[in-house]
Amino acid sequence: MGSSSGWRMAGMEVPLLSTDSIDWRQLSVPSYSSSTSTANNSNHSLSKDFASCCGVGNPPSYFIWKTRKARSNVLEILELGSCKEISRIGLQLTFPDALFPFAFIYKDESKSTSGDLLLLYTLTVSGVAYLIRLRDNFDYGTSSLVPSNEILGYNTQSHPHYGAITTVAASEGCLSIGRSDGSIGCFQLGTLDPSSSGFVYELRDDVGFGRLWGILSRSSTLAAVQDLVMSKVQQRKFLFVLHSDGSFRVWDLLTRSKIFSHTMTAPSLTGAFVRLWVGEANADTGTIPLAMLHQQNLEVSTETIFLYGLHCNVGDKTPLSLEPSLKKISLGEGGLVDVKLTSNNVWILKEEGLIMQDLLRDDFTGGLAHYYALQETFVADQLFQSSEHSSDDLLWLACSSFSSAKDEVVPFVSSLFLRSLLSPGVYCNAVLRQTFGDYSKHFTDSEFGSFTVDGLKSELLSLMEHQGGSTSPVSILQCWKTFCARYVNNWCKYNAACGLLIDSLTGSVGLVRNNTISLCRGLEDVEHVIYGSFEENTKCVGSGFDSSSDELDRQILFEFLQCVRCVSQQLGKASSAIISEFLSRPHVSSEEVIPQFLKILEIGYSSSTGATLVSELGVDTAWERELLNHRTLRKFSANMFLSLRALCHKANSWGKVLDVVESHLKFLVPCKIVLNLDAESVFHILDSAIVHSTSQIARVMFESVLDVLMLLSYMTSICGQINMSHDDVSRVKLEFIPMIQEIMTEWHIIHFFGTTPSESPPIEDFSYKLSSLQIDSNGDKRLWNANLGKCEFSLAYILLLRMQSSSRELRNLSFSRLPNPSSLVSLSREFTSWIICGRSGEESSVFFSNAIDLAIILLGHNQYSATEYLLTSVDLYSRKEKIFGSLQAVDGKYSALFHLLGCCLIAQTHGLHVPDRDRKLREAIHCFFRAASMEGSSNALQSLPDEAGWLRIDFSSSPSASSWKLQYYQWVMQLFEQYNESEAASQFAIAALEQVDAALGTMDTSSRENLGESVTTAKGRLWANIFKFTLDLNNYHDAYCAITSNPDEESRTICLRRFIIVLYERGAVKMLCDGQLPLIGLVEKVERELAWKAERSDISAKPNPFKLLYAFEMHRHNWRRAASYIYLYSVRLKAEAAVKDHQLRSLTLQERLNGLAAAINALQLVHPSYAWIDAPVDDISPDRENYPNKKAKITKQEKSLSDDDLPQRPPSYLDVEKLEKEFLLTSAEHLLSLANIKWSSTGNNKPSPELINLLVESYSYDMAFLVILKFWKGSDLKRELERVFITMALTCCPSRLGPSLHGKDRKTHTLLLTSSQDEAVHNSLHTATTVHQFAGSSHWETLEQYLVCTS
């Protein structure tokens, strides 16, 4: 449409509300007719998708009603109140019959009722008229039926000879219907009772006796009523009637008389007038605008709208007169959807676009002056469906951009499509789900509703991969093209336009679609130049210059802009999308992207790009495309050379051209407006329109500035060919290009805010959980929080929460009425100004000052990725412009930038993969150190609000830089600690430690007391933190170094204990015992902590603390202490063995034997004079007695004894001999336990004869003789040996044993086996080789062997 001659773009459609989010309350309407029901008959000739709007009240509430062809008996009603929060409740009325595409809602002011009484007129195709009372907010409780006392039905076709109803119209208190027989019936529903006289009357031409005959007198020559319109003119109700034969009549409903009649004709056209529209009378001229639709009966139906003026002079003999002037608008092919007239304009909605014609212009004869781009065009353009070659350009440009990294092309193309598809204004939940269904990928309502933005991206990428689009750039592009083509097709069907929404008072215009409602915005001044003919927009362009601008400047600008357009066409529409995608990534500047595209303008696509695509496109296709590219490049180069030379010739010098360009660049800068912002805005009906309007304008401005940048860069590259001097080139590079990059950065960030969906709040975010519980009373904020993470809810909505405009339009409207197109642009302009400059509207470098405020707002809503993008963009631009020093001087705001950037980087580390996480951490550490190093950082950071995460610290006592850094580093340390980033936290703890001496050492005593700690305490606390962080990282050597470096004795002791406990828990405590750590000066403390740990640990703990103590002392050659600790271990094992079952008892006894053996070995390394240890008190250890609490203390008993000392043996001690005896008895107990015989030793004392009996009975002869020889001497030895041999001999003669001798309880006989050589027997048993218990073939052989050994 925009290419048609004489048509000029005047604005764009912007989404306002999606009805998918409406909670529809469904009510059924009872039947009032016995006629055949046509409910759900979508094939009825009068059924169609149509919608309109009724404004009720002042300020008005806009009641939008809609009928659907698929559900012809359902009427949908939605209230759109611009002065309050958007209503999320709609009403669906289900009628028994199909409905006319008609409804009328008005406020009944004739009755005194509480609240507003709203009445609804509607009509079924069977002729039943309904008057329904609508409740406030459609609150019908749980009822599914319209209450009988709130509905009135009347059958308008009560007489069978009535003609079929063809059309209907209504106003307050009156419903009029037109019939096929030409009659017009009027019904005063809501005014009179249906049984009252005068409730029904007809409008007809007959007079006198004709009225007596009533129905019989009706003229048979009157043509069918084609259309009816009821309108108020100068406080009188007029009914405008169009008949099928072209007769046009006007009736005065007050007098029920005809006041105008005329037969309408269309010269030189066949066909008939089929529709009629009436506008409001012009207050100045008194003219009522009329529009009539004429259809030609050709093979292809063509439509024309004829515009008339009906002059009104109420009180004259001829009150109405048709003006002779005739205007017509040829619509050509395509279906007409709706037409609306105001006093000055006519709005025509077609399936392919919205047309607006100024009725006051006299210079048009058929051409259309203005059109508005609809959302269909926007969606198709965003998804590269509007141009045949736009997607192909995308492929070649993407491959050229990644000439050195071809593997990145596929993910980049997918990222570009994903960003476009899921951006607000393009994304539609139901359409995307339907498109998934086209690929046989189905989801339930709950599944699809649970998808976040990232979830939708994953599903889309999975689908593309399944379609084979992950292998190459060509295949991925083809998959996305096919998917987006289906998406656009589904979008157009799902959101087809149904009607116009007009507020004649303000001039606002909007569209009602099947599932969305939208408004129309006007164009920014620069957009008039971009979308319109340059010659037709001199007035608009001139508004950007001083009044002194002459015609030559305008001509120079026009020719320059024509060159800009040529550059844009050469690169293709996809170029701006690719550059925008690059710039949307953090740490990517325009300087990295623009040179790639400049090469394309200079030399075309590289040969490597063509070679890459040969295998994908095929040799022939790729060759043809390369030839086309070469021809296009040659043509472009020649045209640009001639155009630029002609431009310079017209201006006489490049300096003059650059002066004009400089003026134009100022015209592209976002407007700076001073705003008065007193409070936060609420979630308002216009927010969606403002956000979408702002993002559309930002996109156009970004593309325009980018095109200018590309042209100027191209001019500098061919400066020799076009005779540009060195000074002119320097001026472009040093002045213009930095200025353009600044403007482009501003518009790109604005567009980024408007099109990037917000992030979902993290699940663990406590503040979000509180808001979701709806504890507070701020319902608006709850509504905003509920929208976070949805594709339709972009970042701009979050910013709009903080902004309440004070523009002239807003003060006048007070949001009480919908804004007109120009007012909506003004609102967008103010929002843009607020983003760029904040409240003050002051000029700043890349809105640096306001970027801090924006970042704080985004951080407060957990929008970390957006915050990173914003702050890195400002940082990149600032570094590029080399204004680092000046930024430091501006209240230290640069330090605030790095502080906030560090905060958002650390917040993003959760859930990332290790490489990305480590990169974010490194960047965050870098940012925090840079923030602390800036001049004035103390004041800047302390001025940040609470949502910036800063803790308030009072530096009034000592505002030194060191004190500031000390506190700041500690705060950052705590921040990293909260995110379990111990390595980063350790770095800032060390950095804080370096500031302690300078910060606290120079303070006086009172200042240090105010801070609450001394230098030693502060260092001790920081070293303790370093110890903790390094220990968390398993850096045990660094953790030990932190302990030894800690100057605070108490803190060092606590850390040491923690160190040992952690080493125990992680199985790394052996490093204390093997000399890996230099325990200089800490040996006694480590030993004490190990002993404290051993005393309070379970005996089965692994590693065993007593064994570690043994190893610890053995490594340091403290043999006696090693023996003492391992002996304590055996004592604990003895107590444990007493309560164990058979199997565990044997294992415990074996472990005790090992412990006793280790104690004996340790003491044998000591000089015999010192080879003893203290005997422990039964059940009470020295440690337990001395340390009743957990905190270990040093006691005299625990101090290490040097092996060179000459200690006095206490009364109770244990030497090697006693330990050997205890070892022997424990061995015997162990043997008995293996035989399932329970016996407990009594230490190293002489055992009872019962032990010997048990050993002999269990055939443990070796152990029995060892015990006897160890504990019995002299005659006792002989008697005991004799008793054992007797028992063994009796074993050889089982027949001589009585019953009492069998089993383990039998007693030995008093047979004696004497020997006079006690010592010889003792030595023989010790020196003889151990004899197996059953070495012989019988008991006799065993007895013989032992007799030989003891003889």
Side-chain angles (χ1 to χ4, degrees):
M1 180 176 293
S3 62
S4 298
S5 176
W7 293 4
R8 182 161 55 87
M9 185 173 176
M12 295 182 179
E13 179 188 3
V14 291
L16 182 66
L17 173 67
S18 172
T19 57
D20 290 338
S21 61
I22 299 300
D23 179 18
W24 294 102
R25 295 182 177 175
Q26 299 179 351
L27 295 177
S28 297
V29 178
S31 176
Y32 281 82
S33 174
S34 59
S35 61
T36 303
S37 175
T38 59
N40 297 321
N41 182 7
S42 60
N43 294 322
H44 195 280
S45 59
L46 295 175
S47 300
K48 66 176 181 177
D49 294 337
F50 188 74
S52 189
C53 175
C54 299
V56 178
N58 189 20
S61 289
Y62 302 91
F63 286 89
I64 298 172
W65 60 266
K66 181 167 51 182
T67 61
R68 298 177 185 266
K69 185 174 183 179
R71 301 176 64 192
S72 59
N73 66 320
V74 175
L75 178 67
E76 296 179 357
I77 304 175
L78 176 66
E79 181 181 3
L80 198 65
S82 62
C83 58
K84 60 182 180 180
E85 180 185 323
I86 290 181
S87 173
R88 298 291 169 178
I89 299 174
L91 181 64
Q92 286 184 339
L93 296 174
T94 303
F95 291 82
D97 297 327
L99 295 170
F100 270 90
F102 161 81
F104 182 75
I105 301 172
Y106 70 98
K107 178 181 178 181
D108 185 9
E109 299 178 350
S110 62
K111 297 182 180 180
S112 176
T113 57
S114 58
D116 295 336
L117 179 61
L118 299 177
L119 299 178
L120 165 68
Y121 284 149
T122 190
L123 181 70
T124 66
V125 294
S126 60
V128 179
Y130 288 92
L131 175 66
I132 302 175
R133 175 185 174 184
L134 300 179
R135 294 185 181 181
D136 291 341
N137 298 322
F138 308 129
D139 184 11
Y140 289 88
T142 59
S143 176
S144 61
L145 291 173
V146 178
S148 58
N149 61 341
E150 298 180 9
I151 185 172
L152 174 62
Y154 184 81
N155 188 1
T156 62
Q157 299 292 85
S158 56
H159 295 283
H161 55 268
Y162 279 162
I165 299 175
T166 57
T167 184
V168 59
S171 66
E172 294 87 344
C174 182
L175 177 71
S176 299
I177 62 174
R179 299 187 178 97
S180 60
D181 59 3
S183 63
I184 302 171
C186 298
F187 307 87
Q188 301 190 62
L189 281 173
T191 303
L192 298 177
D193 187 87
S195 60
S196 301
S197 175
F199 173 77
V200 181
Y201 64 90
E202 291 191 11
L203 302 176
R204 55 184 182 270
D205 294 334
D206 54 329
V207 293
F209 283 102
R211 293 186 182 275
L212 298 177
W213 290 100
I215 299 172
L216 297 177
S217 65
R218 186 178 298 111
S219 174
S220 59
T221 61
L222 196 62
V225 178
Q226 194 71 35
D227 204 356
L228 291 177
V229 176
M230 199 175 292
S231 177
K232 279 188 177 181
V233 179
Q234 298 184 7
Q235 304 304 317
R236 301 181 68 175
K237 289 183 182 179
F238 287 177
L239 181 64
F240 299 81
V241 185
L242 176 66
H243 292 269
S244 59
D245 61 353
S247 299
F248 173 62
R249 302 181 178 188
V250 182
W251 297 81
D252 187 342
L253 295 182
L254 181 61
T255 61
R256 302 180 185 179
S257 60
K258 181 175 61 178
I259 60 175
F260 181 80
S261 178
H262 185 81
T263 299
M264 312 302 296
T265 60
S268 71
L269 292 178
T270 60
F273 289 96
V274 294
R275 291 294 307 275
L276 169 67
W277 295 275
V278 179
E280 296 181 355
N282 189 295
D284 298 329
T285 62
T287 301
I288 304 173
L290 303 177
M292 294 185 185
L293 176 65
H294 185 274
Q295 286 185 343
Q296 291 182 261
N297 299 323
L298 302 175
E299 294 182 0
V300 179
S301 177
T302 57
E303 299 176 329
T304 305
I305 291 181
F306 289 84
L307 302 176
Y308 301 93
L310 195 63
H311 190 69
C312 179
N313 291 309
V314 178
D316 293 352
K317 184 176 181 180
T318 305
L320 298 176
S321 60
L322 191 66
E323 295 182 353
S325 62
L326 176 65
K327 303 174 183 179
K328 66 178 181 179
I329 302 173
S330 178
L331 302 180
E333 301 177 8
L336 179 68
V337 178
D338 194 11
V339 175
K340 288 287 190 297
L341 280 88
T342 63
S343 58
N344 300 324
N345 299 315
V346 57
W347 297 86
I348 304 170
L349 177 62
K350 295 184 61 179
E351 293 177 352
E352 60 181 17
L354 175 62
I355 304 166
M356 188 273 288
Q357 175 64 61
D358 188 353
L359 296 176
L360 300 181
R361 291 184 58 183
D362 296 328
D363 58 346
F364 77 99
T365 59
L368 295 177
H370 301 89
Y371 75 93
Y372 285 76
L374 297 186
Q375 198 70 6
E376 289 90 342
T377 304
F378 174 79
V379 173
D381 184 58
Q382 287 289 96
L383 299 178
F384 307 99
Q385 300 295 313
S386 59
S387 175
E388 180 181 356
H389 299 291
S390 62
S391 56
D392 295 333
D393 294 338
L394 171 63
L395 177 63
W396 285 80
L397 289 170
C399 291
S400 299
S401 302
F402 292 99
S403 57
S404 60
K406 298 300 182 182
D407 294 340
E408 298 184 21
V409 175
V410 171
F412 179 82
V413 171
S414 294
S415 175
L416 185 60
F417 275 98
L418 285 173
R419 183 180 296 275
S420 300
L421 185 61
L422 300 181
S423 63
V426 176
Y427 172 79
C428 179
N429 187 67
V431 174
L432 182 59
R433 184 176 176 183
Q434 181 182 353
T435 310
F436 271 127
D438 294 342
Y439 286 85
S440 300
K441 198 175 183 66
H442 304 284
F443 303 94
T444 63
D445 292 342
S446 59
E447 287 175 345
F448 202 81
S450 64
F451 282 138
T452 61
V453 176
D454 292 335
L456 289 174
K457 289 181 179 179
S458 298
E459 291 295 332
L460 286 167
L461 291 175
S462 175
L463 178 62
M464 294 301 110
E465 182 178 358
H466 183 264
Q467 296 296 316
S470 60
T471 57
S472 66
V474 174
S475 60
I476 191 66
L477 179 63
Q478 186 60 41
C479 290
W480 277 114
K481 283 176 61 177
T482 304
F483 183 88
C484 290
R486 292 188 178 185
Y487 182 89
V488 171
N489 183 57
N490 292 334
W491 194 99
C492 293
K493 292 180 180 178
Y494 185 78
N495 289 308
C498 300
L500 286 170
L501 168 65
I502 299 290
D503 188 334
S504 58
L505 183 61
T506 63
S508 64
V509 59
L511 275 71
V512 181
R513 296 178 174 272
N514 276 337
N515 295 281
T516 57
I517 301 171
S518 57
L519 291 177
C520 290
R521 71 168 180 89
L523 297 180
E524 272 281 10
D525 292 338
V526 177
E527 290 182 293
H528 283 290
V529 178
I530 297 170
Y531 292 119
S533 172
F534 295 141
E535 289 76 8
E536 293 178 0
N537 291 283
T538 54
K539 180 179 180 180
C540 297
V541 176
S543 63
F545 295 93
D546 297 333
S547 58
S548 59
S549 299
D550 55 18
E551 185 63 25
L552 177 61
D553 291 348
R554 303 179 194 277
Q555 294 178 5
I556 293 173
L557 176 61
F558 291 151
E559 293 191 15
F560 177 81
L561 293 178
Q562 287 176 347
C563 294
V564 170
R565 179 172 292 181
C566 290
V567 170
S568 177
Q569 292 174 349
Q570 175 66 16
L571 290 175
K573 298 184 66 175
S575 60
S576 61
I578 292 177
I579 294 177
S580 178
E581 178 65 22
F582 272 114
L583 297 181
S584 298
R585 301 180 175 187
H587 308 289
V588 177
S589 66
S590 59
E591 288 184 337
E592 303 175 37
V593 183
I594 298 300
Q596 298 290 340
F597 290 82
L598 184 58
K599 288 182 180 179
I600 297 175
L601 293 177
E602 295 173 351
I603 61 175
Y605 296 105
S606 63
S607 58
S608 60
T609 301
T612 302
L613 298 176
V614 165
S615 59
E616 302 294 333
L617 297 175
V619 176
D620 294 338
T621 304
W623 178 251
E624 291 177 1
R625 181 56 195 263
E626 283 200 59
L627 289 178
L628 176 63
N629 292 338
H630 286 309
R631 285 197 299 268
T632 304
L633 178 63
R634 288 195 299 269
K635 181 178 179 181
F636 166 76
S637 300
N639 290 339
M640 288 301 298
F641 173 76
L642 296 176
S643 298
L644 291 175
R645 290 291 295 267
L647 177 61
C648 179
H649 178 73
K650 175 172 288 189
N652 294 324
S653 68
W654 281 113
K656 178 64 174 178
V657 174
L658 297 181
D659 291 339
V660 174
V661 172
E662 184 176 10
S663 299
H664 179 63
L665 290 178
K666 295 178 181 178
F667 194 45
L668 298 174
V669 176
C671 295
K672 305 326 192 268
I673 303 173
V674 179
L675 305 174
N676 294 322
L677 304 178
D678 300 325
E680 293 183 352
S681 65
V682 298
F683 189 75
H684 195 272
I685 184 176
L686 295 182
D687 288 342
S688 177
I690 294 173
V691 168
H692 285 90
S693 176
T694 303
S695 63
Q696 288 180 0
I697 293 173
R699 176 183 176 231
V700 174
M701 300 299 287
F702 171 79
E703 293 174 351
S704 302
V705 177
L706 175 62
D707 293 339
V708 173
L709 174 62
M710 295 305 304
L711 175 59
L712 291 177
S713 300
Y714 179 76
M715 290 169 57
T716 58
S717 67
I718 62 169
C719 58
Q721 302 177 33
I722 58 176
N723 299 324
M724 283 189 72
S725 66
H726 177 72
D727 293 338
D728 293 331
V729 173
S730 299
R731 183 182 178 187
V732 171
K733 291 183 177 181
L734 299 180
E735 296 182 16
F736 286 11
I737 290 181
M739 183 192 308
I740 294 173
Q741 289 176 336
E742 176 181 343
I743 300 171
M744 189 170 67
T745 301
E746 291 177 342
W747 283 118
H748 184 265
I749 291 180
I750 295 171
H751 182 256
F752 177 85
F753 286 151
T755 57
T756 302
S758 56
E759 297 179 56
S760 300
I763 299 176
E764 66 276 6
D765 184 29
F766 184 70
S767 62
Y768 174 73
K769 290 182 178 180
L770 284 180
S771 64
S772 64
L773 293 176
Q774 301 186 2
I775 296 176
D776 60 10
S777 59
N778 194 332
D780 298 318
K781 288 186 177 180
R782 292 198 301 270
L783 181 60
W784 283 79
N785 289 332
N787 287 324
L788 289 176
K790 295 183 178 180
C791 292
E792 306 91 336
F793 196 78
S794 65
L795 297 168
Y797 288 96
I798 299 175
L799 301 179
L800 203 58
L801 178 66
R802 291 292 187 92
M803 184 246 181
Q804 180 178 1
S805 180
S806 59
S807 67
R808 176 181 178 183
E809 289 82 2
L810 279 174
R811 285 201 305 267
N812 292 338
L813 294 174
S814 301
F815 290 121
S816 60
R817 306 187 77 96
L818 294 177
N820 58 40
S822 60
S823 297
L824 191 53
V825 172
S826 298
L827 297 177
S828 299
R829 191 180 295 121
E830 292 183 354
F831 183 43
T832 299
S833 176
W834 182 83
I835 293 177
I836 299 299
C837 303
R839 303 185 180 193
S840 62
E842 296 178 355
E843 296 283 347
S844 61
S845 178
V846 196
F847 57 99
F848 177 79
S849 299
N850 201 44
I852 304 300
D853 298 331
L854 297 178
I856 292 173
I857 296 172
L858 294 173
L859 276 179
H861 290 82
N862 303 310
Q863 305 302 308
Y864 303 120
S865 298
T867 306
E868 179 188 3
Y869 161 75
L870 172 64
L871 297 179
T872 52
S873 298
V874 175
D875 180 36
L876 282 173
Y877 179 82
S878 302
R879 283 187 285 158
K880 179 183 61 178
E881 290 302 301
K882 300 178 181 180
I883 55 175
F884 179 81
S886 62
L887 291 177
Q888 278 188 320
V890 183
D891 302 326
K893 287 186 177 296
Y894 213 48
S895 62
L897 182 148
F898 285 114
H899 170 79
L900 295 175
L901 182 56
C903 289
C904 76
L905 287 170
I906 182 62
Q908 294 179 77
T909 58
H910 179 71
L912 290 178
H913 296 295
V914 174
D916 295 332
R917 173 179 164 274
D918 292 343
R919 178 180 58 83
K920 295 282 187 183
L921 280 176
R922 290 193 300 268
E923 293 175 1
I925 293 171
H926 177 70
C927 288
F928 284 124
F929 276 120
R930 289 189 68 182
S933 63
M934 297 291 173
E935 182 180 352
S937 59
S938 173
N939 295 330
L941 295 185
Q942 288 193 90
S943 64
L944 295 176
D946 294 336
E947 52 262 42
W950 179 242
L951 303 176
R952 299 298 174 195
I953 301 176
D954 183 15
F955 288 98
S956 58
S957 58
S958 179
S960 67
S962 298
S963 299
W964 152 250
K965 289 183 179 181
L966 172 62
Q967 299 298 333
Y968 182 71
Y969 288 149
Q970 290 182 96
W971 180 88
V972 178
M973 175 193 72
Q974 295 171 4
L975 178 64
F976 279 104
E977 185 179 7
Q978 291 175 8
Y979 286 91
N980 296 321
E981 301 296 343
S982 298
E983 184 176 359
S986 177
Q987 293 187 38
F988 284 93
I990 295 173
L993 193 64
E994 296 174 352
Q995 304 295 327
V996 172
D997 289 330
L1000 302 181
T1002 57
M1003 289 184 179
D1004 54 26
T1005 305
S1006 59
S1007 298
R1008 287 197 296 267
E1009 290 177 353
N1010 292 335
L1011 293 176
E1013 57 183 1
S1014 62
V1015 174
T1016 301
T1017 304
K1019 287 185 175 182
R1021 177 172 49 77
L1022 290 172
W1023 276 118
N1025 280 287
I1026 296 173
F1027 160 77
K1028 175 184 178 301
F1029 301 140
T1030 53
L1031 194 60
D1032 291 341
L1033 296 170
N1034 295 330
N1035 295 335
Y1036 302 124
H1037 288 84
D1038 293 344
Y1040 178 73
C1041 291
I1043 294 175
T1044 58
S1045 302
N1046 196 326
D1048 190 323
E1049 181 70 23
E1050 182 178 0
S1051 176
R1052 184 168 62 249
T1053 302
I1054 294 173
C1055 291
L1056 182 62
R1057 178 177 294 118
R1058 178 61 185 167
F1059 183 62
I1060 295 174
I1061 291 173
V1062 171
L1063 291 179
Y1064 266 112
E1065 294 173 349
R1066 299 178 184 175
V1069 75
K1070 291 182 180 180
M1071 66 186 310
L1072 289 174
C1073 309
D1074 56 9
Q1076 294 186 37
L1077 300 178
L1079 302 177
I1080 301 174
L1082 292 177
V1083 175
E1084 293 183 2
K1085 291 183 178 181
V1086 171
E1087 179 185 347
R1088 185 170 68 248
E1089 295 300 333
L1090 288 173
W1092 182 88
K1093 175 68 177 176
E1095 180 62 25
R1096 286 151 183 82
S1097 299
D1098 186 81
I1099 196 66
S1100 60
K1102 293 183 180 181
N1104 188 277
F1106 286 102
K1107 292 182 179 180
L1108 292 171
L1109 275 169
Y1110 175 77
F1112 179 81
E1113 299 295 350
M1114 290 293 288
H1115 183 75
R1116 285 159 180 76
H1117 299 176
N1118 294 331
W1119 321 121
R1120 290 180 57 206
R1121 295 194 66 82
S1124 298
Y1125 286 123
I1126 199 65
Y1127 182 75
L1128 286 176
Y1129 175 54
S1130 68
V1131 172
R1132 291 276 300 274
L1133 287 172
K1134 179 180 179 181
E1136 291 286 333
V1139 296
K1140 299 287 186 180
D1141 57 16
H1142 165 64
Q1143 184 176 3
L1144 294 179
R1145 187 169 182 268
S1146 299
L1147 296 175
T1148 304
L1149 289 173
Q1150 181 62 54
E1151 185 68 14
R1152 187 184 176 208
L1153 285 173
N1154 297 336
L1156 290 171
I1160 294 171
N1161 292 337
L1163 285 181
Q1164 287 178 345
L1165 297 174
V1166 184
H1167 190 277
S1169 301
Y1170 308 102
W1172 56 270
I1173 59 176
D1174 293 330
V1177 181
D1178 292 342
D1179 299 329
I1180 300 178
S1181 70
D1183 288 342
R1184 189 182 299 274
E1185 183 178 2
N1186 291 327
Y1187 311 141
N1189 300 322
K1190 285 188 175 182
K1191 185 176 179 180
K1193 298 180 180 179
I1194 302 176
T1195 61
K1196 293 182 179 180
Q1197 289 78 2
E1198 287 181 312
K1199 291 183 179 179
S1200 300
L1201 295 175
S1202 172
D1203 290 340
D1204 296 333
D1205 294 339
L1206 222 50
Q1208 299 294 326
R1209 296 190 180 186
S1212 176
Y1213 69 93
L1214 295 174
D1215 55 11
V1216 174
E1217 182 180 359
K1218 291 181 180 180
L1219 291 176
E1220 288 178 346
K1221 289 181 179 180
E1222 186 170 352
F1223 177 83
L1224 185 60
L1225 292 177
T1226 304
S1227 299
E1229 184 179 0
H1230 178 250
L1231 281 175
L1232 291 175
S1233 68
L1234 294 176
N1236 201 17
I1237 299 174
K1238 188 174 183 180
W1239 178 84
S1240 299
S1241 68
T1242 58
N1244 51 27
N1245 297 324
K1246 182 178 180 180
S1248 64
E1250 181 184 6
L1251 172 62
I1252 307 301
N1253 295 336
L1254 294 174
L1255 291 172
V1256 173
E1257 292 172 3
S1258 63
Y1259 304 107
S1260 301
Y1261 299 130
D1262 283 354
M1263 184 57 65
F1265 285 111
L1266 286 174
V1267 172
I1268 291 172
L1269 296 176
K1270 190 69 174 179
F1271 288 95
W1272 275 268
K1273 304 297 180 182
S1275 58
D1276 292 339
L1277 174 61
K1278 294 179 180 180
R1279 284 193 298 271
E1280 196 63 26
L1281 288 174
E1282 180 180 342
R1283 190 171 65 84
V1284 171
F1285 283 127
I1286 292 173
T1287 304
M1288 294 176 66
L1290 291 175
T1291 304
C1292 298
C1293 305
S1295 60
R1296 299 186 58 184
L1297 290 175
S1300 62
L1301 296 178
H1302 292 281
K1304 65 178 181 177
D1305 295 329
R1306 65 187 179 183
K1307 305 296 180 181
T1308 60
H1309 288 238
T1310 57
L1311 300 175
L1312 297 177
L1313 178 63
T1314 60
S1315 174
S1316 58
Q1317 302 296 329
D1318 297 340
E1319 189 67 27
V1321 172
H1322 181 271
N1323 292 335
S1324 64
L1325 284 173
H1326 273 277
T1327 57
T1329 303
T1330 303
V1331 180
H1332 193 273
Q1333 301 283 5
F1334 301 98
S1337 60
S1338 65
H1339 292 295
W1340 288 110
E1341 293 177 355
T1342 302
L1343 177 59
E1344 181 183 2
Q1345 290 177 4
Y1346 279 102
L1347 286 173
V1348 172
C1349 291
T1350 57
S1351 61

